Amino acid sequence: IAIGTMLARPPAAVVPVPVAGTTYYYAGNKYYTRVMRSSWVAYQVVAPPAGAIITTLPANCKSVRVGNATYTQCGPTYYTRVATGYQVVVLN
């Protein structure tokens, strides 16, 4: 599902992920945000929000080295291990 795609409802297995006062929803290595569309609520696929923490990584991730740091890359998303799971890191 491409970034920007709108859904009437999120996938059944989404998990709420709070980031800096905003709640995102995560499922299948995709992040969603809730938006109002006229008089109805929709869920839009968004870029992984920096700082989001998930407890379990999706399948097919790999360890990569960038500069002096090692990250886990899952598709286009990079994570670093933190005490409570895996945190999204945006690399420039």
Side-chain angles (χ1 to χ4, degrees), residues 2 5-6 49 64 78 82 86-87 92:
T5 301
M6 301 290 274
V64 296
Y78 292 86
V82 295
Y86 299 89
Q87 185 172 39
N92 294 329

Side-chain angles (χ1 to χ4, degrees), residues 4 11 21 24 28 36 48 54 60 62 67 75 90:
Y24 293 89
M36 288 298 295
I54 58 172
N60 301 319
K62 62 183 179 180
V90 176

